[in-house]
């Protein structure tokens, strides 16, 4: 089964500083990878996804992630943090079921705090 | 377009009581999912459905049942609630796309359940 590992359950950065959230995957086949964001007391929403079209993926709100097969990584970055980026971020990998739909396996999440 | 809605938003149960959580989506999506979110564990898949009348077990199905009698609704039932089922429950839906993977899941706002 495929899995993802998120290093660092809590990350704090100053407003305007670089945001780097780490995700490593374990997969025997080329994976489909996702980053979702969860704002307080809300559901998850998709930030970006990797589907093998391009290794550098741009998402919403200025976030991007780079797929590195040699490092089995899909780290999320943003050049300049904003107060509104404070949220929990989840990396996920998908598996196809026998029915043909996808199941997502999530990492344990990283809570991002922005310091004014 | 309401997207994915969940009812109720909050609920407190006593051990042994039963309840049903309702998920509704207005995007005509084929696939629907129930997850639970616990601190430090990310989201874990409970059950999913690939169409009316077709459901399957996810990662943590024990103690839960589901039904999908209408395409737009997916119900999660707890027959005899236990304190270990205290969690935040999220419903999600996704469309059936050609090519299979890399498909976005759309999440509801969640139901916070406490079992005393």
């Amino acid at each position: 089964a495929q899995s993802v590992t998120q290093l660092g359950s809590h990350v704090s950065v100053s407003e305007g500083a670089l945001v780097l959230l780490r995700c490593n995957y374990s997969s025997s086949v080329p994976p489909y990878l996702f980053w979702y964001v969860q704002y307080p007391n809300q559901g998850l929403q998709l930030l970006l996804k990797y589907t093998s079209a391009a290794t550098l993926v741009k998402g919403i709100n200025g976030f991007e992630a780079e797929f590195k097969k040699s490092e089995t990584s899909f780290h999320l970055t943003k050049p300049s943090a904003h107060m509104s980026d404070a949220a929990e971020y989840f990396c996920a990998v998908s598996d196809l079921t026998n029915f043909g739909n996808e199941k997502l396996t999530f990492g344990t999440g990283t809570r991002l705090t922005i310091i004014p | 377009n309401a997207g994915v809605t969940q009812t109720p938003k909050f609920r407190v149960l006593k051990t042994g009581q039963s309840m049903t959580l309702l998920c509704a989506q207005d995007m005509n999506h084929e696939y629907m999912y129930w997850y639970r979110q616990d601190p430090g564990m990310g989201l874990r898949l409970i059950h999913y459905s690939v169409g009316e009348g077709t459901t399957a077990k996810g990662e943590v199905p024990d103690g839960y049942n589901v039904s999908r009698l209408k395409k737009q609704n997916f119900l999660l039932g707890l027959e005899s609630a236990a304190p270990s089922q205290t969690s935040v429950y999220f419903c999600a839906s996704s469309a059936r796309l050609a090519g299979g993977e890399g498909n976005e899941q759309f999440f509801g706002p969640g139901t916070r359940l406490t079992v005393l």
Side-chain angles (χ1 to χ4, degrees), chain B residues 31-96:
Chain B
Y31 308 134
M32 297 187 74
Y33 307 82
W34 276 107
Y35 295 89
R36 60 178 289 172
Q37 182 180 25
D38 301 292
M41 302 189 75
L43 278 78
R44 292 178 293 167
L45 183 64
I46 304 172
H47 286 280
Y48 62 96
S49 170
V50 296
E52 289 180 33
T54 305
T55 62
K57 295 179 180 179
E59 182 185 351
V60 288
D62 294 343
Y64 304 95
N65 56 74
V66 289
S67 64
R68 189 146 177 227
L69 301 179
K70 294 182 178 181
K71 186 176 183 178
Q72 63 267 33
N73 295 337
F74 193 28
L75 278 63
L76 178 71
L78 286 73
E79 289 186 347
S80 179
S84 61
Q85 294 177 304
T86 293
S87 187
V88 182
Y89 292 86
F90 288 98
C91 177
S93 70
S94 63
R96 175 188 292 164

Side-chain angles (χ1 to χ4, degrees), chain A residues 13-81:
Chain A
V13 301
S14 297
E15 190 175 14
L18 172 71
V19 175
L20 171 60
L21 304 182
R22 300 177 187 274
C23 174
N24 289 88
Y25 68 89
S26 170
S27 173
S28 58
V29 298
Y32 288 80
L33 295 161
F34 304 78
W35 276 100
Y36 280 83
V37 60
Q38 183 181 31
Y39 297 104
N41 300 313
Q42 294 186 27
L44 279 69
Q45 64 182 86
L46 182 68
L47 265 181
L48 50 81
K49 63 181 179 182
Y50 168 74
T51 57
S52 76
T55 56
L56 182 62
V57 182
K58 295 189 184 299
I60 61 172
N61 301 337
F63 283 93
E64 61 182 37
E66 187 171 8
F67 175 75
K68 292 187 176 181
K69 185 177 179 180
S70 60
E71 299 177 8
T72 62
S73 69
F74 189 56
H75 300 332
L76 183 70
T77 60
K78 182 175 180 177
S80 177

